[in-house]
Amino acid sequence: MVPTGKQPSPSRSYVMRIISTLTVTVALASALALLAISQILSDVANRNIEQRAKETLEYLVGSLEIPLWLVSEESISSIGTATFRDPSVVRIAVIDAAGKTMFSTSRPVRSDTLVEKSAQIFHKERRNHFVGEVSIALTPEALAEETRKLLISTTAVIVTVLISVLSVV
């Protein structure tokens, strides 16, 4: 029996091999690039969290000086709550000069990479009179989640492009 179906021309077969090779090459190069980008972004996030913790602590020390001096629990709570809205901040505690906890909140953390900072707060207009202490803990977890979302969307774009190229053939 003689087959009745058409056999692909040699030039079409050659084009298919080139497209397949290019697709595999682009997919592997993209995977390696995504891994490298992931590692770089993770390192940057871990370095930035230390700076962010320092800046947050400086903000809290400056913002809490007067409310602690005036023993304004409402103001202290407002400042603490506003700061806690930052998803990187996982714990805040504000303690007055007498040792009373004026504000304290925390959220569960999956990461063991916490950056913890604390500072004493002094009322500068009263000859640096000690008025309290603030401590915070930050995690790079929120930044890591943003990185994961970025990598997922980038992967989706690459896969869409590869599927588009393959569907043309």
Side-chain angles (χ1 to χ4, degrees), residues 92-127:
I92 299 177
V94 180
I95 301 165
D96 70 6
K100 178 184 174 195
T101 300
M102 301 297 287
F103 179 83
S104 180
T105 190
S106 64
R107 67 173 61 100
V109 185
R110 292 175 287 179
S111 172
D112 58 345
T113 324
L114 288 181
V115 175
E116 299 180 75
K117 300 260 184 208
S118 64
Q120 294 183 333
I121 302 170
F122 296 90
H123 186 32
K124 292 172 183 47
E125 291 179 18
R126 299 289 181 193
R127 297 185 187 167

mmCIF file of all heavy atoms in Angstrom, residues 92-127:
data_model
loop_
_atom_site.group_PDB
_atom_site.id
_atom_site.type_symbol
_atom_site.label_atom_id
_atom_site.label_comp_id
_atom_site.label_asym_id
_atom_site.label_seq_id
_atom_site.Cartn_x
_atom_site.Cartn_y
_atom_site.Cartn_z
ATOM 1 N N ILE A 92 5.420 46.170 66.928
ATOM 2 C CA ILE A 92 5.734 47.492 67.491
ATOM 3 C C ILE A 92 5.363 47.460 68.962
ATOM 4 O O ILE A 92 4.305 46.945 69.330
ATOM 5 C CB ILE A 92 4.922 48.627 66.833
ATOM 6 C CG1 ILE A 92 5.211 48.737 65.343
ATOM 7 C CG2 ILE A 92 5.215 49.963 67.503
ATOM 8 C CD1 ILE A 92 4.371 49.790 64.645
ATOM 9 N N ALA A 93 6.229 48.016 69.774
ATOM 10 C CA ALA A 93 5.923 48.195 71.197
ATOM 11 C C ALA A 93 6.431 49.562 71.630
ATOM 12 O O ALA A 93 7.562 49.938 71.330
ATOM 13 C CB ALA A 93 6.572 47.100 72.033
ATOM 14 N N VAL A 94 5.555 50.301 72.314
ATOM 15 C CA VAL A 94 5.912 51.612 72.847
ATOM 16 C C VAL A 94 5.714 51.547 74.358
ATOM 17 O O VAL A 94 4.624 51.228 74.833
ATOM 18 C CB VAL A 94 5.046 52.742 72.250
ATOM 19 C CG1 VAL A 94 5.449 54.092 72.827
ATOM 20 C CG2 VAL A 94 5.150 52.752 70.728
ATOM 21 N N ILE A 95 6.774 51.844 75.094
ATOM 22 C CA ILE A 95 6.756 51.754 76.555
ATOM 23 C C ILE A 95 7.134 53.122 77.115
ATOM 24 O O ILE A 95 8.094 53.747 76.644
ATOM 25 C CB ILE A 95 7.739 50.671 77.038
ATOM 26 C CG1 ILE A 95 7.336 49.321 76.431
ATOM 27 C CG2 ILE A 95 7.795 50.600 78.550
ATOM 28 C CD1 ILE A 95 8.380 48.247 76.530
ATOM 29 N N ASP A 96 6.381 53.581 78.109
ATOM 30 C CA ASP A 96 6.683 54.900 78.680
ATOM 31 C C ASP A 96 7.818 54.793 79.702
ATOM 32 O O ASP A 96 8.333 53.706 79.977
ATOM 33 C CB ASP A 96 5.432 55.551 79.273
ATOM 34 C CG ASP A 96 4.923 54.874 80.532
ATOM 35 O OD1 ASP A 96 5.579 53.947 81.059
ATOM 36 O OD2 ASP A 96 3.850 55.271 81.011
ATOM 37 N N ALA A 97 8.205 55.929 80.284
ATOM 38 C CA ALA A 97 9.338 55.996 81.214
ATOM 39 C C ALA A 97 9.115 55.156 82.465
ATOM 40 O O ALA A 97 10.071 54.674 83.070
ATOM 41 C CB ALA A 97 9.619 57.448 81.594
ATOM 42 N N ALA A 98 7.853 54.952 82.846
ATOM 43 C CA ALA A 98 7.541 54.154 84.037
ATOM 44 C C ALA A 98 7.518 52.657 83.745
ATOM 45 O O ALA A 98 7.338 51.851 84.648
ATOM 46 C CB ALA A 98 6.192 54.597 84.610
ATOM 47 N N GLY A 99 7.682 52.288 82.476
ATOM 48 C CA GLY A 99 7.675 50.871 82.107
ATOM 49 C C GLY A 99 6.310 50.358 81.671
ATOM 50 O O GLY A 99 6.157 49.164 81.401
ATOM 51 N N LYS A 100 5.334 51.238 81.574
ATOM 52 C CA LYS A 100 3.987 50.842 81.150
ATOM 53 C C LYS A 100 3.944 50.736 79.626
ATOM 54 O O LYS A 100 4.400 51.634 78.916
ATOM 55 C CB LYS A 100 2.966 51.874 81.629
ATOM 56 C CG LYS A 100 1.548 51.568 81.193
ATOM 57 C CD LYS A 100 0.582 52.667 81.618
ATOM 58 C CE LYS A 100 -0.800 52.402 81.037
ATOM 59 N NZ LYS A 100 -1.649 53.569 81.126
ATOM 60 N N THR A 101 3.362 49.653 79.121
ATOM 61 C CA THR A 101 3.206 49.485 77.678
ATOM 62 C C THR A 101 2.063 50.378 77.212
ATOM 63 O O THR A 101 0.908 50.183 77.592
ATOM 64 C CB THR A 101 2.917 48.013 77.320
ATOM 65 O OG1 THR A 101 4.013 47.213 77.758
ATOM 66 C CG2 THR A 101 2.730 47.838 75.824
ATOM 67 N N MET A 102 2.394 51.362 76.388
ATOM 68 C CA MET A 102 1.416 52.325 75.887
ATOM 69 C C MET A 102 0.774 51.847 74.583
ATOM 70 O O MET A 102 -0.362 52.192 74.285
ATOM 71 C CB MET A 102 2.077 53.685 75.661
ATOM 72 C CG MET A 102 2.717 54.275 76.909
ATOM 73 S SD MET A 102 1.527 54.624 78.193
ATOM 74 C CE MET A 102 0.718 56.047 77.523
ATOM 75 N N PHE A 103 1.526 51.080 73.805
ATOM 76 C CA PHE A 103 1.012 50.530 72.547
ATOM 77 C C PHE A 103 1.834 49.299 72.216
ATOM 78 O O PHE A 103 3.051 49.306 72.339
ATOM 79 C CB PHE A 103 1.136 51.554 71.410
ATOM 80 C CG PHE A 103 0.647 51.041 70.084
ATOM 81 C CD1 PHE A 103 -0.703 51.078 69.764
ATOM 82 C CD2 PHE A 103 1.525 50.493 69.158
ATOM 83 C CE1 PHE A 103 -1.167 50.597 68.548
ATOM 84 C CE2 PHE A 103 1.070 50.012 67.939
ATOM 85 C CZ PHE A 103 -0.277 50.066 67.638
ATOM 86 N N SER A 104 1.151 48.257 71.806
ATOM 87 C CA SER A 104 1.851 47.042 71.411
ATOM 88 C C SER A 104 0.971 46.247 70.458
ATOM 89 O O SER A 104 -0.220 46.051 70.722
ATOM 90 C CB SER A 104 2.178 46.190 72.636
ATOM 91 O OG SER A 104 2.853 45.010 72.239
ATOM 92 N N THR A 105 1.540 45.831 69.359
ATOM 93 C CA THR A 105 0.822 44.985 68.415
ATOM 94 C C THR A 105 1.826 44.175 67.608
ATOM 95 O O THR A 105 2.986 44.555 67.478
ATOM 96 C CB THR A 105 -0.096 45.819 67.485
ATOM 97 O OG1 THR A 105 -0.931 44.933 66.744
ATOM 98 C CG2 THR A 105 0.697 46.681 66.526
ATOM 99 N N SER A 106 1.347 43.045 67.096
ATOM 100 C CA SER A 106 2.209 42.195 66.271
ATOM 101 C C SER A 106 1.337 41.341 65.368
ATOM 102 O O SER A 106 0.135 41.205 65.586
ATOM 103 C CB SER A 106 3.103 41.315 67.143
ATOM 104 O OG SER A 106 2.316 40.417 67.890
ATOM 105 N N ARG A 107 1.963 40.779 64.365
ATOM 106 C CA ARG A 107 1.273 39.838 63.479
ATOM 107 C C ARG A 107 2.153 38.607 63.307
ATOM 108 O O ARG A 107 3.378 38.694 63.461
ATOM 109 C CB ARG A 107 0.918 40.490 62.150
ATOM 110 C CG ARG A 107 2.075 40.857 61.273
ATOM 111 C CD ARG A 107 1.644 41.365 59.880
ATOM 112 N NE ARG A 107 0.848 42.544 59.887
ATOM 113 C CZ ARG A 107 1.292 43.773 59.647
ATOM 114 N NH1 ARG A 107 2.564 43.971 59.375
ATOM 115 N NH2 ARG A 107 0.491 44.806 59.680
ATOM 116 N N PRO A 108 1.544 37.460 63.008
ATOM 117 C CA PRO A 108 2.348 36.246 62.824
ATOM 118 C C PRO A 108 3.289 36.381 61.627
ATOM 119 O O PRO A 108 2.953 37.034 60.641
ATOM 120 C CB PRO A 108 1.317 35.145 62.574
ATOM 121 C CG PRO A 108 -0.010 35.794 62.501
ATOM 122 C CD PRO A 108 0.129 37.240 62.834
ATOM 123 N N VAL A 109 4.431 35.762 61.752
ATOM 124 C CA VAL A 109 5.450 35.850 60.713
ATOM 125 C C VAL A 109 5.892 34.448 60.327
ATOM 126 O O VAL A 109 6.114 33.602 61.192
ATOM 127 C CB VAL A 109 6.681 36.632 61.221
ATOM 128 C CG1 VAL A 109 7.681 36.840 60.117
ATOM 129 C CG2 VAL A 109 6.277 37.950 61.813
ATOM 130 N N ARG A 110 6.026 34.219 59.024
ATOM 131 C CA ARG A 110 6.530 32.922 58.546
ATOM 132 C C ARG A 110 8.042 32.942 58.388
ATOM 133 O O ARG A 110 8.662 31.916 58.312
ATOM 134 C CB ARG A 110 5.897 32.574 57.206
ATOM 135 C CG ARG A 110 4.413 32.287 57.295
ATOM 136 C CD ARG A 110 3.855 32.066 55.944
ATOM 137 N NE ARG A 110 3.810 33.375 55.293
ATOM 138 C CZ ARG A 110 3.397 33.591 54.067
ATOM 139 N NH1 ARG A 110 2.993 32.606 53.329
ATOM 140 N NH2 ARG A 110 3.379 34.807 53.558
ATOM 141 N N SER A 111 8.599 34.107 58.350
ATOM 142 C CA SER A 111 10.033 34.249 58.104
ATOM 143 C C SER A 111 10.810 34.277 59.413
ATOM 144 O O SER A 111 10.344 34.795 60.416
ATOM 145 C CB SER A 111 10.280 35.555 57.347
ATOM 146 O OG SER A 111 11.655 35.814 57.241
ATOM 147 N N ASP A 112 11.990 33.696 59.385
ATOM 148 C CA ASP A 112 12.860 33.788 60.563
ATOM 149 C C ASP A 112 13.904 34.892 60.368
ATOM 150 O O ASP A 112 14.817 35.033 61.149
ATOM 151 C CB ASP A 112 13.534 32.444 60.840
ATOM 152 C CG ASP A 112 14.361 31.944 59.667
ATOM 153 O OD1 ASP A 112 14.201 32.479 58.564
ATOM 154 O OD2 ASP A 112 15.158 31.008 59.859
ATOM 155 N N THR A 113 13.742 35.670 59.320
ATOM 156 C CA THR A 113 14.664 36.759 59.004
ATOM 157 C C THR A 113 14.090 38.082 59.467
ATOM 158 O O THR A 113 13.728 38.924 58.660
ATOM 159 C CB THR A 113 14.913 36.819 57.484
ATOM 160 O OG1 THR A 113 14.941 35.525 56.946
ATOM 161 C CG2 THR A 113 16.195 37.525 57.164
ATOM 162 N N LEU A 114 13.977 38.272 60.754
ATOM 163 C CA LEU A 114 13.461 39.526 61.292
ATOM 164 C C LEU A 114 14.602 40.504 61.533
ATOM 165 O O LEU A 114 15.683 40.110 61.960
ATOM 166 C CB LEU A 114 12.737 39.291 62.609
ATOM 167 C CG LEU A 114 11.391 38.594 62.560
ATOM 168 C CD1 LEU A 114 10.821 38.466 63.961
ATOM 169 C CD2 LEU A 114 10.422 39.329 61.668
ATOM 170 N N VAL A 115 14.322 41.763 61.291
ATOM 171 C CA VAL A 115 15.252 42.828 61.655
ATOM 172 C C VAL A 115 14.596 43.545 62.826
ATOM 173 O O VAL A 115 13.522 44.131 62.684
ATOM 174 C CB VAL A 115 15.499 43.794 60.479
ATOM 175 C CG1 VAL A 115 16.358 44.958 60.922
ATOM 176 C CG2 VAL A 115 16.138 43.054 59.317
ATOM 177 N N GLU A 116 15.225 43.469 63.985
ATOM 178 C CA GLU A 116 14.666 44.074 65.198
ATOM 179 C C GLU A 116 15.517 45.263 65.611
ATOM 180 O O GLU A 116 16.734 45.196 65.607
ATOM 181 C CB GLU A 116 14.608 43.045 66.315
ATOM 182 C CG GLU A 116 13.715 41.857 65.953
ATOM 183 C CD GLU A 116 13.644 40.812 67.044
ATOM 184 O OE1 GLU A 116 12.945 41.082 68.036
ATOM 185 O OE2 GLU A 116 14.284 39.767 66.888
ATOM 186 N N LYS A 117 14.829 46.340 65.948
ATOM 187 C CA LYS A 117 15.505 47.569 66.382
ATOM 188 C C LYS A 117 14.735 48.157 67.555
ATOM 189 O O LYS A 117 13.522 47.999 67.666
ATOM 190 C CB LYS A 117 15.531 48.603 65.253
ATOM 191 C CG LYS A 117 16.234 48.168 63.993
ATOM 192 C CD LYS A 117 17.598 48.726 63.958
ATOM 193 C CE LYS A 117 18.273 48.365 62.634
ATOM 194 N NZ LYS A 117 19.686 48.278 62.774
ATOM 195 N N SER A 118 15.448 48.855 68.415
ATOM 196 C CA SER A 118 14.790 49.582 69.504
ATOM 197 C C SER A 118 15.601 50.836 69.818
ATOM 198 O O SER A 118 16.791 50.907 69.511
ATOM 199 C CB SER A 118 14.642 48.702 70.745
ATOM 200 O OG SER A 118 15.901 48.358 71.252
ATOM 201 N N ALA A 119 14.919 51.792 70.426
ATOM 202 C CA ALA A 119 15.587 53.045 70.772
ATOM 203 C C ALA A 119 14.879 53.682 71.954
ATOM 204 O O ALA A 119 13.670 53.530 72.128
ATOM 205 C CB ALA A 119 15.584 54.006 69.594
ATOM 206 N N GLN A 120 15.662 54.387 72.731
ATOM 207 C CA GLN A 120 15.097 55.169 73.823
ATOM 208 C C GLN A 120 14.661 56.520 73.261
ATOM 209 O O GLN A 120 15.253 57.036 72.310
ATOM 210 C CB GLN A 120 16.119 55.356 74.936
ATOM 211 C CG GLN A 120 16.479 54.053 75.622
ATOM 212 C CD GLN A 120 17.452 54.278 76.769
ATOM 213 O OE1 GLN A 120 18.228 55.231 76.772
ATOM 214 N NE2 GLN A 120 17.401 53.388 77.745
ATOM 215 N N ILE A 121 13.619 57.084 73.874
ATOM 216 C CA ILE A 121 13.082 58.354 73.405
ATOM 217 C C ILE A 121 13.263 59.386 74.518
ATOM 218 O O ILE A 121 12.910 59.136 75.672
ATOM 219 C CB ILE A 121 11.590 58.214 73.041
ATOM 220 C CG1 ILE A 121 11.428 57.128 71.967
ATOM 221 C CG2 ILE A 121 11.027 59.544 72.553
ATOM 222 C CD1 ILE A 121 9.989 56.747 71.706
ATOM 223 N N PHE A 122 13.834 60.524 74.135
ATOM 224 C CA PHE A 122 14.082 61.596 75.090
ATOM 225 C C PHE A 122 13.352 62.854 74.642
ATOM 226 O O PHE A 122 13.270 63.144 73.454
ATOM 227 C CB PHE A 122 15.586 61.893 75.189
ATOM 228 C CG PHE A 122 16.384 60.747 75.731
ATOM 229 C CD1 PHE A 122 16.928 59.786 74.890
ATOM 230 C CD2 PHE A 122 16.578 60.616 77.103
ATOM 231 C CE1 PHE A 122 17.657 58.728 75.394
ATOM 232 C CE2 PHE A 122 17.312 59.553 77.614
ATOM 233 C CZ PHE A 122 17.842 58.605 76.754
ATOM 234 N N HIS A 123 12.833 63.600 75.604
ATOM 235 C CA HIS A 123 12.195 64.882 75.314
ATOM 236 C C HIS A 123 13.295 65.938 75.322
ATOM 237 O O HIS A 123 13.817 66.318 76.364
ATOM 238 C CB HIS A 123 11.124 65.185 76.362
ATOM 239 C CG HIS A 123 10.318 66.412 76.064
ATOM 240 N ND1 HIS A 123 10.024 66.834 74.791
ATOM 241 C CD2 HIS A 123 9.735 67.312 76.895
ATOM 242 C CE1 HIS A 123 9.308 67.922 74.831
ATOM 243 N NE2 HIS A 123 9.109 68.245 76.100
ATOM 244 N N LYS A 124 13.649 66.393 74.153
ATOM 245 C CA LYS A 124 14.805 67.274 73.996
ATOM 246 C C LYS A 124 14.618 68.652 74.637
ATOM 247 O O LYS A 124 15.566 69.242 75.116
ATOM 248 C CB LYS A 124 15.144 67.400 72.517
ATOM 249 C CG LYS A 124 15.676 66.081 71.962
ATOM 250 C CD LYS A 124 15.839 66.132 70.476
ATOM 251 C CE LYS A 124 16.299 64.832 69.885
ATOM 252 N NZ LYS A 124 15.610 63.638 70.332
ATOM 253 N N GLU A 125 13.411 69.173 74.647
ATOM 254 C CA GLU A 125 13.176 70.492 75.238
ATOM 255 C C GLU A 125 13.303 70.466 76.758
ATOM 256 O O GLU A 125 13.405 71.503 77.387
ATOM 257 C CB GLU A 125 11.799 71.013 74.821
ATOM 258 C CG GLU A 125 11.735 71.367 73.347
ATOM 259 C CD GLU A 125 10.369 71.865 72.940
ATOM 260 O OE1 GLU A 125 9.575 72.263 73.810
ATOM 261 O OE2 GLU A 125 10.096 71.860 71.728
ATOM 262 N N ARG A 126 13.262 69.302 77.344
ATOM 263 C CA ARG A 126 13.379 69.177 78.807
ATOM 264 C C ARG A 126 14.718 68.538 79.180
ATOM 265 O O ARG A 126 14.785 67.606 79.956
ATOM 266 C CB ARG A 126 12.242 68.315 79.357
ATOM 267 C CG ARG A 126 10.879 68.873 79.103
ATOM 268 C CD ARG A 126 10.649 70.085 79.952
ATOM 269 N NE ARG A 126 9.290 70.593 79.704
ATOM 270 C CZ ARG A 126 8.866 71.736 80.092
ATOM 271 N NH1 ARG A 126 9.662 72.547 80.741
ATOM 272 N NH2 ARG A 126 7.651 72.122 79.850
ATOM 273 N N ARG A 127 15.753 69.042 78.560
ATOM 274 C CA ARG A 127 17.124 68.583 78.836
ATOM 275 C C ARG A 127 17.278 67.080 78.666
ATOM 276 O O ARG A 127 17.814 66.380 79.528
ATOM 277 C CB ARG A 127 17.551 68.992 80.241
ATOM 278 C CG ARG A 127 17.607 70.473 80.407
ATOM 279 C CD ARG A 127 18.136 70.817 81.747
ATOM 280 N NE ARG A 127 18.021 72.255 81.928
ATOM 281 C CZ ARG A 127 18.163 72.841 83.074
ATOM 282 N NH1 ARG A 127 18.420 72.143 84.149
ATOM 283 N NH2 ARG A 127 18.059 74.128 83.169
#
